[in-house]
Structures are given as C-alpha cells and as structure tokens.
Amino acid sequence: MNKTDYIRYLLDEYYNGTLSLSGERELRSYFAGDYIDPELEAERDMFLALGDIQVPDELEERLNETIYSLDRERKTRRIGLRRWIMRAGAVAATVAIVVTLVLPSGKMTDEEIIGSMTREEVAAHTTRVLELMSRTINAGSESAGRATSVAIEVINSQSDNI
Amino acid sequence: MNAERFQQLVMPHYRRMYLVAIRLTADTADAQDAVQDAVINLWQQQAKLESAGNIEAYAVTAARNAAIDITRRRHPACDIEDATQHDMSHDPATALSIKDRVEHVMEIIDDLPDTQRRVILMRDVDGCEFDEIVEATGFSHVNVRTLLSRARATIRKHFANI
C-alpha cells in the first residue's frame, strides 16, 4: 500500500467515525505537510481547519504552570511584606530601647547621670560648678568686707562718743 | 482564593477561550498567548471572578479582549479584521487564510444539530477518546461513531463546495 492509498484508507476510517486518535493525528500531519497528493487536495482545507481549532495539548499544562507561578509569586510577596513588617518592628523596638537608655530620666541618681556623661561633659560641668562656687565665695567675702567696714565705723563712732 | 480554587473556576473554560482567541488571532501561538494573558488578568481580578454569575462568559470575554490586544500589538497598523488575515497557509494564491478556515469550520460546527456538535467538539477540538465521549454524553459507542461520522460528512461537504 503506497502512501496515498494508506491516507485514503485512514480517511475512510475517519469519515466512518472509527479511526483512532493516533490515526487522526497522522491525517492532520499529512495534510499539514509540504506534499499532498493532488487527488487528496480537496481534503486539505478541512483538515487544516480542524487542526487550527484543535486546542494544543501543551496549553493546559502551560496554563496550570502559569497559575502555580502566580500563586508562588503572591506567596513570596506576602512573605516579603511580613518580613518587612517584622524588620521595621525590630528597628522601632531597638530605637525605643536606645532612647530609653540614653536619655536621662527624672528618676536617675547623680551617679547615674555622671556615669552616662563623657569625660569632657563631666569636666565642663565641674568647671561650671567651680566657677559658680568661686563667684559665690567672692561675693560672700565682699559682703563680709563691707560688713566689717560698717562695724569698724560704728565702733569708731561709739568710741568717739565715749 | 488559592490556586486550586482558581483552577476549578477557570480551567473548565480554557478550550472555549482558545476557540475565541484563535478566531481573532488566526495564529495558534498568539491564541495560546492570549489565553495565558486572559488567565493572568482573571487571576488579578479574583474578587470579581468569585462574584461573577457566569464564569464561562467572563472568562471568554477576557480571552476575547486579550486576543484583540495581542493582535493590535503585533499588527499596530491594521484594524482587528485586517490583522487576522496576515497568516496564510501553504499557497496564498489558492489556500484559505487561517482566519477564513477557522471561521468557516466554526460556522459549520455551530450549525450542526446539538448532539453532532457536542460529539465533534469533544473529539476533533478537545481530542477526547471515544470512551470519554460515551461517559460524558451518555450515548452508546455506536451512537457516538454515527454522530461523528455525520458531522464530519457535513463539514467535508461544505469544504468541498468552497
């Protein structure tokens, strides 16, 4: 049986509705090929048309893969957002702890305040305190001097009266 | 909505989506891309999909819109009717364009009696085995083969008259 006779045999089976799926694929493949026996040319457009509307086998798998890929992408995005929220929360908590520890509160003792200062800050505060003490002592000695002068003047005037 | 639920809603309609897309794009690769784009669009509109009364109509409309977009993108100078004429089969001088073939065979199939249309779509579009068609339709094996034979004879007659 030559090729054309074989195709004709498949066509008879096809039109009887008895041809297997693999036989139908053979027919479509033949009519989609470069050489078609001129005697069978009339069948070509019909087989090409039926081939055109046949849903490709790979489409279902391609669509399922697309759906799973979209699902994975969404899950990854959700995990990314969750991680971002967790990281932001961790940063916020760290900042809160640092602020609490670094900024002096009203309940801190003198030792704690001094302990939280740098050497330079301690030196600057000490200098300031000493300056204030010095000014106070100076002011005190001037007052004492003025009081002494007044007292001497009073004593002198009283001794003159005596 | 998870991937499994989305598949349950959309995948039963992908063959109809493909048929709409192939009629508009007249290109199997473009039609598959259009169906994939439509599935991605449907994924992004899951809330609307859940509340859509007729999911098949919704999915087919998405495929139609995606097919039109793809055709316009790939053939920007043409309108949708002209654009689908671009892909000719073997001999442009004598052969029908893919669009003509697809339109023609789909019109013939649409005009077939319900039972014949159902059987030929399952066999020649979906590629179902006879056992699957028997199970889905409830017809006997003999009935399925007879309906298929009649449907194919009708299509052959129409193509012979072109």
Side-chain angles (χ1 to χ4, degrees):
Chain A
M1 191 186 287
N2 64 26
K3 180 77 177 176
T4 303
D5 287 342
Y6 176 63
I7 295 298
R8 210 173 266 129
Y9 160 76
L10 291 181
L11 279 171
D12 285 344
E13 296 276 300
Y14 177 80
Y15 287 117
N16 284 334
T18 50
L19 189 60
S20 65
L21 281 177
S22 64
E24 292 179 11
R25 274 194 290 273
E26 272 189 78
L27 278 179
R28 291 213 175 99
S29 170
Y30 174 79
F31 286 108
D34 291 333
Y35 175 75
I36 296 161
D37 191 309
E39 291 176 33
L40 302 172
E41 190 74 30
E43 312 281 347
R44 188 184 64 179
D45 277 332
M46 175 184 155
F47 275 92
L48 289 177
L50 288 171
D52 292 334
I53 61 169
Q54 189 161 45
V55 181
D57 292 339
E58 66 273 17
L59 182 59
E60 183 176 13
E61 191 183 341
R62 179 177 167 183
L63 295 178
N64 282 329
E65 278 176 10
T66 302
I67 292 167
Y68 283 116
S69 162
L70 289 166
D71 195 42
R72 276 196 301 274
E73 199 178 297
R74 183 172 60 185
K75 282 175 182 164
T76 309
R77 257 204 318 270
R78 278 186 187 162
I79 290 169
L81 182 64
R82 209 174 295 150
R83 279 191 188 146
W84 188 88
I85 290 169
M86 285 172 71
R87 282 178 190 159
V91 168
T94 307
V95 168
I97 290 166
V98 168
V99 166
T100 308
L101 291 176
V102 168
L103 289 183
S105 72
K107 293 177 181 175
M108 287 174 86
T109 63
D110 291 345
E111 288 75 17
E112 284 172 338
I113 292 170
I114 291 166
S116 69
M117 288 177 171
T118 62
R119 279 169 185 265
E120 289 75 18
E121 285 171 337
V122 171
H125 279 284
T126 307
T127 307
R128 176 87 178 131
V129 168
L130 290 173
E131 280 173 3
L132 285 171
M133 281 179 64
S134 168
R135 278 187 212 156
T136 307
I137 290 167
N138 287 340
S141 66
E142 280 172 15
S143 298
R146 276 199 299 277
T148 305
S149 304
V150 170
I152 289 169
E153 281 174 18
V154 170
I155 289 167
N156 288 338
S157 66
Q158 289 300 321
S159 61
D160 288 345
N161 290 334
I162 297 168
Chain B
M1 186 189 297
N2 60 22
E4 285 73 25
R5 173 74 181 138
F6 183 81
Q7 277 176 315
Q8 281 173 3
L9 289 177
V10 173
M11 287 307 285
H13 312 299
Y14 85 93
R15 294 175 194 279
R16 278 286 317 276
M17 293 165 77
Y18 179 80
L19 287 181
V20 168
I22 189 72
R23 287 174 93 159
L24 285 165
T25 61
D27 181 281
T28 54
D30 283 353
Q32 290 185 68
D33 287 349
V35 176
Q36 187 178 27
D37 287 353
V39 166
I40 292 169
N41 287 338
L42 292 170
W43 176 267
Q44 289 163 348
Q45 298 172 24
Q46 287 181 9
K48 286 183 189 171
L49 192 64
E50 280 280 20
S51 59
N54 185 343
I55 290 174
E56 181 178 352
Y58 199 74
V60 166
T61 302
R64 178 187 301 279
N65 292 339
I68 290 170
D69 283 349
I70 280 183
T71 306
R72 285 193 176 136
R73 212 161 48 230
R74 298 195 178 159
H75 310 281
C78 309
D79 69 17
I80 190 70
E81 288 300 318
D82 295 336
T84 55
Q85 301 282 348
H86 70 285
D87 197 347
M88 305 293 285
S89 55
H90 307 283
D91 181 1
T94 56
L96 293 169
S97 71
I98 289 179
K99 179 181 166 53
D100 288 338
R101 282 199 312 249
V102 169
E103 282 294 335
H104 192 55
V105 76
M106 287 306 296
E107 279 169 16
I108 298 167
I109 289 173
D110 286 345
D111 286 342
L112 289 171
D114 284 349
T115 49
Q116 289 184 31
R117 184 173 60 244
R118 198 169 166 203
V119 169
I120 200 167
L121 282 174
M122 289 188 76
R123 180 69 175 183
D124 284 355
V125 177
D126 297 348
C128 293
E129 293 284 357
F130 285 120
D131 286 346
E132 292 174 303
I133 301 172
V134 166
E135 193 182 332
T137 58
F139 303 147
S140 69
H141 272 89
V142 175
N143 256 340
V144 167
R145 290 176 198 279
T146 304
L147 290 166
L148 192 59
S149 175
R150 285 179 187 162
R152 286 171 172 170
T154 304
I155 295 171
R156 181 191 205 182
K157 196 171 83 183
H158 277 83
F159 270 87
N161 291 336
I162 292 175

